[in-house]
Amino acid sequence: MKREMYTPAISFRGVHVKRLLALVICGVVLIWIVGRSRSKSPSASEKSIGTDLLANGKDRFVFNMDSKRRGLTDGTSLSFSKGHFVLDGKTIKILSGAMHYFRVVPEYWKDRMEKMKSCGLNTLETYVSWNLHEPTPGVFDFEGMLDVRKYIQLAQEVGLHVIFRPGPYICSEWDFGGLPSWLLADPNMKVRSNYPPYQKAADRFFSKVLPLVNDLQYSQGGPIIAVQVENEFGSYSSEIEHLDFLRGLLRHYGITELLVTSDNLSGMKRGPFHEHALPTANFQDYEKSSKEFNEIRKLNPEFPLMVMEYWSGWFDHWGAKHSTFPLEDFAKSLSGIFHNDSSINFYMFHGGTNFGFMAGANYFEDYKPDVTSYDYDAPLDEAGNITPKYEKAREIIMEYVLKKQGITSLPEPPPNSAKADYGHLAMDSYLSWDAMISLMETSLALKTPDYMENIKLITGVGQSYGYIVYRKTLNKAGSLLKLPGHVSDRAQILLDSKETAILDWHNKDPEVPLEDVKANTVLDIVVENLGRVNYILAGSEILNTQRKGLRGDVYLDERKLENWKIFP
């Protein structure tokens, strides 16, 4: 928001007394009106705003750090006292499970939620995927599988509270941590910061998604009891002014419930925000991570303990073995968490699937793309089936928590859905490469190859996901193809529709020997985007610099190849 005040220069020389008196009266009236406007009740769009969002002369959103602040639990439904959560005047232990609406088809939402309830859980946690909801700037989608409002309403129908984690950054092994790729069309982009264009985009997103769920907060009869500010921010940055900015947006667009953060120990120390949001812990091995509990207690002994992400398993990378968290270790850590009287969110309780091209990647010494499955070795597997881990969690929750509350039984979970074995399928027809290319409705002409984020499609922004084809008809024969830098992330080299070589991100400035290349041979470089990095530690610029596809001069022998046809 930009708030401007214009003060005209007035010369009193020759001004008639009546005119002067009129100016004075107008001034008094103006002061009275401004005072009234500043003290009146906020409008619906400004409801519960406890902060000022300002814009300076460079159109930068700045959170007024000196403005009057709300207390941590002022006006919230969920509060805490003496190390315990309190809701409706009663002590409550949050027993939550993570399931993301965008990873599970709507037909299965209720089944998974009822299985959570039957395991003894009282809360559902979900992220919000910005890149799915705003695929191009200013164009929003909240229908079908993306109907987050319906999802939250269904959770309430089942009898679950909701922890709402709207990001805008979510990590989650999701492409670009949930951030839309069109942000990267800006060569100077600084995500997760108070870089003005990023702030402007985040503001636009929050202005759409938050009003959809405001009336679903607990204070208004809905199930939302807590809302998270960003995600694991201290692990990435110490710019707490950005957290303050996001906190201001949340309050401005109507969020009144308890705000929380989640991070590991180093993140809590690098990005302290505990005066404005309740800190919660993320870990898997309780014995190795109990220091996070100690840090929370040290910040404020009144704070209740909560593991916002108890990693029930782990995710998988292409080319690696399926990750698992042994049942015995899972049970030991879970028991340790409850032994410390902590609340919990199983991350994940049901992982689901990274549909389409939405899987993310990590970068620790090397790029590691994630697989399509988000099974996560969770209590409910990718198909929603009950696992031994589910049964063990149910047993421990009953023993450590529910029996102490006088609850001695739980409803039986819904049966696993029927599965079918389709046997072996024979492929009797297929489209040739040339036939597929002929069906492409969009193509662009570029002098040299460029990344998919940089090209301009009919939507006005670049390509977000999938494959991009760089085509060149060779005018002369040649024997050695030279590509610039690294392909991002996997490339197939085709000559007249026949595969000649496969390259990936490991190959720097790759050279591909070619055979029988004659004039008028059609060269296709098919590059697959395997997923943008979604998590990186402080000090890295990968989130801001990653681009997908191929960029730079391509050579055949010593001849530069120019004038390419691009199929996004």
Side-chain angles (χ1 to χ4, degrees):
M1 279 192 318
K2 181 175 288 187
R3 185 177 295 166
E4 297 178 347
M5 183 174 291
Y6 172 64
T7 306
I10 301 176
S11 171
F12 291 91
R13 181 176 297 176
V15 176
H16 193 276
V17 173
K18 290 184 179 180
R19 291 185 60 195
L20 180 59
L21 181 60
L23 287 170
V24 171
I25 293 174
C26 288
V28 171
V29 172
L30 179 60
I31 292 171
W32 180 77
I33 292 173
V34 170
R36 290 265 299 181
S37 66
R38 288 182 175 177
S39 61
K40 69 178 182 178
S41 299
S43 64
S45 64
E46 296 172 329
K47 188 173 182 180
S48 297
I49 184 170
T51 57
D52 290 324
L53 287 172
L54 309 177
N56 64 21
K58 296 180 180 179
D59 197 31
R60 175 174 179 171
F61 290 86
V62 180
F63 181 75
N64 188 349
M65 298 285 286
D66 297 323
S67 64
K68 184 178 180 181
R69 299 174 181 275
R70 288 177 47 158
L72 200 58
T73 58
D74 288 350
T76 65
S77 304
L78 181 67
S79 60
F80 54 83
S81 176
K82 299 179 180 179
H84 297 282
F85 284 110
V86 176
L87 186 65
D88 291 333
K90 299 178 181 179
T91 298
I92 179 176
K93 187 175 295 297
I94 297 173
L95 303 171
S96 176
M99 180 175 76
H100 305 145
Y101 57 94
F102 47 86
R103 282 180 160 130
V104 183
V105 295
E107 291 80 359
Y108 292 153
W109 287 350
K110 189 172 184 179
D111 172 80
R112 306 323 189 234
M113 291 179 187
E114 289 178 339
K115 286 174 179 174
M116 287 184 179
K117 190 74 174 176
S118 297
C119 195
L121 303 190
N122 56 25
T123 304
L124 174 144
E125 173 268 305
T126 186
Y127 279 132
V128 177
S129 176
W130 182 7
N131 51 14
L132 290 183
H133 287 300
E134 192 179 5
T136 58
V139 177
F140 292 89
D141 185 0
F142 295 99
E143 302 296 326
M145 193 172 179
L146 299 181
D147 193 342
V148 62
R149 179 178 174 83
K150 180 180 178 181
Y151 184 73
I152 294 172
Q153 289 174 319
L154 186 59
Q156 183 175 26
E157 179 184 319
V158 172
L160 295 169
H161 301 308
V162 171
I163 297 174
F164 190 62
R165 303 210 282 174
Y169 164 83
I170 62 173
C171 183
S172 191
E173 292 72 62
W174 195 251
D175 186 86
F176 204 14
L179 302 177
S181 65
W182 45 258
L183 291 169
L184 296 173
D186 179 351
N188 301 311
M189 177 53 61
K190 300 290 182 184
V191 299
R192 308 181 69 187
S193 77
N194 278 357
Y195 176 63
Y198 180 72
Q199 289 181 299
K200 183 177 181 180
D203 173 63
R204 182 176 62 234
F205 172 56
F206 272 11
S207 75
K208 294 296 182 181
V209 70
L210 297 180
L212 283 178
V213 302
N214 279 346
D215 65 330
L216 299 181
Q217 295 178 89
Y218 195 84
S219 60
Q220 300 187 47
I224 298 174
I225 58 173
V227 177
Q228 184 170 298
V229 185
E230 233 258 0
N231 186 58
E232 299 174 314
F233 185 77
S235 295
Y236 176 75
S237 172
S238 60
E239 187 186 351
I240 61 171
E241 293 83 1
H242 182 58
L243 290 181
D244 237 350
F245 164 73
L246 294 176
R247 180 177 70 97
L249 286 184
L250 290 168
R251 294 305 189 203
H252 176 62
Y253 289 116
I255 296 299
T256 62
E257 300 298 347
L258 180 68
L259 299 183
V260 300
T261 58
S262 70
D263 218 325
N264 58 28
L265 181 61
S266 62
M268 290 181 189
K269 294 181 176 180
R270 182 180 293 109
F273 204 59
H274 57 276
E275 292 184 7
H276 319 296
L278 179 72
T280 63
N282 294 349
F283 60 74
Q284 182 176 79
D285 188 328
Y286 168 73
E287 291 185 352
K288 293 181 180 179
S289 303
S290 58
K291 291 181 179 179
E292 296 183 22
F293 280 172
N294 295 334
E295 179 67 18
I296 292 173
R297 290 190 180 103
K298 186 168 63 176
L299 292 172
N300 188 334
E302 289 283 308
F303 284 165
L305 298 178
M306 179 164 184
V307 186
M308 183 60 74
E309 293 188 12
Y310 172 51
W311 301 320
S312 62
W314 204 242
F315 50 90
D316 296 327
H317 297 301
W318 287 113
K321 293 181 178 179
H322 176 49
S323 296
T324 60
F325 185 34
L327 183 61
E328 181 180 347
D329 296 337
F330 168 82
K332 185 177 180 180
S333 280
L334 182 57
S335 299
I337 290 168
F338 287 142
H339 181 72
N340 273 268
D341 201 20
S342 173
S343 290
I344 191 170
N345 177 49
F346 291 88
Y347 188 98
M348 299 293 295
F349 194 85
H350 174 50
T353 305
N354 297 320
F355 293 108
F357 298 100
M358 300 311 298
N362 284 104
Y363 197 107
F364 298 107
E365 297 181 358
D366 188 19
Y367 171 75
K368 296 180 179 180
D370 300 331
V371 302
T372 305
S373 170
Y374 203 58
D375 178 84
Y376 211 85
D377 191 31
L380 294 178
D381 68 14
E382 183 176 13
N385 295 322
I386 290 171
T387 68
K389 193 170 282 186
Y390 176 98
E391 299 287 3
K392 179 58 68 174
R394 195 169 188 252
E395 174 189 322
I396 293 173
I397 288 170
M398 175 61 73
E399 184 66 28
Y400 278 84
V401 182
L402 300 185
K403 283 185 177 180
K404 295 178 181 179
Q405 299 174 358
I407 300 172
T408 57
S409 65
L410 287 168
E412 285 300 309
N416 292 330
S417 58
K419 309 297 189 299
D421 182 354
Y422 294 96
H424 296 285
L425 300 178
M427 184 181 296
D428 56 17
S429 60
Y430 61 91
L431 285 175
S432 68
W433 174 250
D434 285 339
M436 286 191 287
I437 286 292
S438 69
L439 296 174
M440 297 294 292
E441 297 179 352
T442 302
S443 65
L444 302 93
L446 292 179
K447 187 174 183 180
T448 58
D450 203 353
Y451 294 127
M452 62 170 60
E453 295 88 350
N454 294 341
I455 63 177
K456 297 296 182 183
L457 303 178
I458 192 171
T459 58
V461 295
Q463 179 181 343
S464 294
Y465 315 107
Y467 296 84
I468 184 169
V469 180
Y470 303 89
R471 168 167 284 195
K472 172 66 180 175
T473 299
L474 304 177
N475 297 323
K476 297 181 180 179
S479 60
L480 187 65
L481 183 68
K482 301 177 182 179
L483 304 182
H486 296 267
V487 294
S488 299
D489 301 299
R490 184 178 185 271
Q492 294 171 270
I493 310 300
L494 307 180
L495 293 175
D496 287 335
S497 303
K498 296 181 180 180
E499 184 179 284
T500 299
I502 297 177
L503 307 169
D504 66 22
W505 64 91
H506 293 106
N507 306 113
K508 179 174 173 55
D509 298 323
E511 297 184 352
V512 180
L514 304 178
E515 296 180 2
D516 300 324
V517 177
K518 304 174 182 178
N520 297 320
T521 295
V522 177
L523 166 67
D524 286 319
I525 304 175
V526 186
V527 183
E528 179 184 2
N529 167 8
L530 289 173
R532 295 179 183 84
V533 172
N534 57 264
Y535 181 84
I536 200 67
L537 295 177
S540 172
E541 282 294 312
I542 288 177
L543 291 185
N544 298 314
T545 60
Q546 58 182 333
R547 306 288 190 282
K548 298 299 182 177
L550 182 66
R551 185 182 192 187
D553 294 328
V554 177
Y555 288 85
L556 181 60
D557 296 332
E558 302 304 320
R559 298 190 304 277
K560 184 188 299 185
L561 301 179
E562 296 183 329
N563 301 319
W564 293 73
K565 192 173 186 179
I566 313 299
F567 297 94

